[in-house]
Structure formats: structure tokens, C-alpha cells
Amino acid sequence: MMLKDRVLLITNVDKFAGHGTTRVALAEGATVLAHDPSFEAPSARRRYEAEFPGAHALSAIEPATLVELALKRHGHIDALVNNDAYPALRAPLGEARLEDYRAALEAMAVTPFRLVQLVAPSMRKRKSGRIVFVSSAAPLRGIANYAPYVSARAAGNGLVSSLAKELGRDGVTVNAVGSNYVENPDYFPPALLANQEAMAKMTAQIPLGRLGTSDELGATVCFLCSDAAGFITGHVLPHAGGWA
């Protein structure tokens, strides 16, 4: 198993790539430390751990508290998966609100950067670590009327090349998965999936002619967390069926 005995910290695990990454990581032998804001409620933690036996739900929300709790519980973190789910709000230039833009940057660039700051010291000390941003392929092509979302994702993607160069000498790799057109309720709600006309128009833009699955995305994330990706760093890997 490619992640046997590895400890993965996955953020916002109830969103975006969280479930797929958890399923694949557990199947590959990893210990999964799962963060989600909903886990402040004990019932949400119990529900998650029942759905994914072997995973550990962490209730901390503040990045510093989350990393402190993870390190206290397991002693080290082998891989940080910044699973930054955030709404892709339609915002034509003349209508876009600066407060929405700032919130997007906070969620998709500032908070993940802070988590890397907190996790990196222990990885550097151990001379080993994986950092993976679950991001978007949108900055690779651009999408009209979504400039705040796309540019916030671009900021996250931009962290990858600089952090990879900064942390590489200490054995820490930094990569991103540039996702698009992957099934998940955050970006493809059930009503949209049930709309055959809309889905036909959408999938016509994808060379592979279909949406990706959550487990396919999770497998890509887990690959970048594994030894098999030990010589890959500073890379934004498109995961979009050929769209990017």
C-alpha cells in the first residue's frame, strides 16, 4: 500500500475532494486526520468516523490549534492536504464585490499558506513531507465572469512553485491538483447533475466526455502524497479530463 503508516491531515474533509481522498488514503494504509468546521458538533464527528472507519475527526477550526492537536495526537504529519473548498461565485467585473474577492483570497490562499507555515517546521526537521493543494484548473485557462474565484485559485497555485523551491532542500515536496469537472455537491449539485441538457452542454467541453469522480481526484491527491511522487515538486497537475 503506497501510503502505509503515513499520517495525512486533510482539511475541509466534508467538501470537495475530502471524501474521495479519505477513501483512497484509508485503502492505501494511511492514518487520516480529518478537519472540517462542522466537526465542532459531536454528532458530525461521529457521523464522519462511522462513514469512514479508521479516520479521526478533529474539531479544531483555527489553523494553529488544528496543527497542534494533530501533532499532539500522532507526533508528526507526513502530508498536509489543503482541500480548499470555496464557492465559485459568478461575478462579472461591474458587479463583483470586493468583500467577496477578499473572502475568496482568504479561503484559497491565506488560510492554506498559514497551514503550511505551521506544518512545515516539523516536516523540515524530519527531512520529509508532502504538501498538496487541492486547487483548480481554472487559472490555467481563465473563465469569463469568474475573475475573483479564478484569481484566488491562481494565488494558491502560485504558492506551489515558490514553496517547492523553499522547502525542497529539506525533503518536502509541494504540489497542487488543478481540478475541474469532477463530481462533487459543492460545484455540481444534484439538480445540475439531473439536468441532462445542461450536462450535455458541459461535458461537450471535456475531451474525455464525462465528469471525473471523487475517487479519481482522491487517488491523484494520494499519489502526490506518496513515495511514488518523491521527485515531483512545484507542479500544478491538471485533473480536468483534458479541458486543461
Side-chain angles (χ1 to χ4, degrees), residues 205-216:
Q205 303 178 63
I206 308 169
L208 287 182
R210 65 173 178 87
L211 297 183
T213 69
S214 178
D215 282 4
E216 287 175 323

Side-chain angles (χ1 to χ4, degrees), residues 2-3 8 10 17-28 81 132 134 177 182 213-226 228-229 237 239:
M2 67 179 182
L3 292 176
L8 272 63
I10 306 172
H19 286 199
T21 302
T22 299
R23 272 192 297 270
V24 175
L26 290 173
E28 292 293 340
V81 178
V132 180
V134 185
V177 180
V182 174
T213 69
S214 178
D215 282 4
E216 287 175 323
L217 179 54
T220 303
V221 173
C222 288
F223 165 70
L224 291 174
C225 291
S226 74
L237 175 62
H239 187 273

Side-chain angles (χ1 to χ4, degrees), residues 101-219:
Y101 195 3
R102 291 189 178 100
L105 287 166
E106 184 73 27
M108 291 182 272
V110 177
T111 296
F113 178 76
R114 179 57 180 150
L115 279 165
V116 174
Q117 280 188 316
L118 294 164
V119 167
S122 63
M123 290 182 173
R124 297 177 100 165
K125 186 175 181 180
R126 298 178 70 239
K127 299 296 182 183
S128 177
R130 302 280 186 267
I131 295 167
V132 180
F133 293 78
V134 185
S135 183
S136 173
L140 304 179
R141 290 190 55 173
I143 303 176
N145 300 313
Y146 286 85
Y149 174 82
V150 174
S151 58
R153 284 296 192 196
N157 288 353
L159 287 172
V160 169
S161 57
S162 290
L163 292 175
K165 290 177 172 64
E166 186 172 344
L167 300 176
R169 295 292 181 182
D170 293 312
V172 180
T173 66
V174 185
N175 294 287
V177 180
S179 174
N180 202 7
Y181 295 119
V182 174
E183 287 182 6
N184 67 83
D186 298 292
Y187 298 112
F188 296 94
L192 176 58
L193 294 177
N195 186 328
Q196 294 184 3
E197 182 179 351
M199 291 307 301
K201 183 177 179 181
M202 187 177 299
T203 54
Q205 303 178 63
I206 308 169
L208 287 182
R210 65 173 178 87
L211 297 183
T213 69
S214 178
D215 282 4
E216 287 175 323
L217 179 54

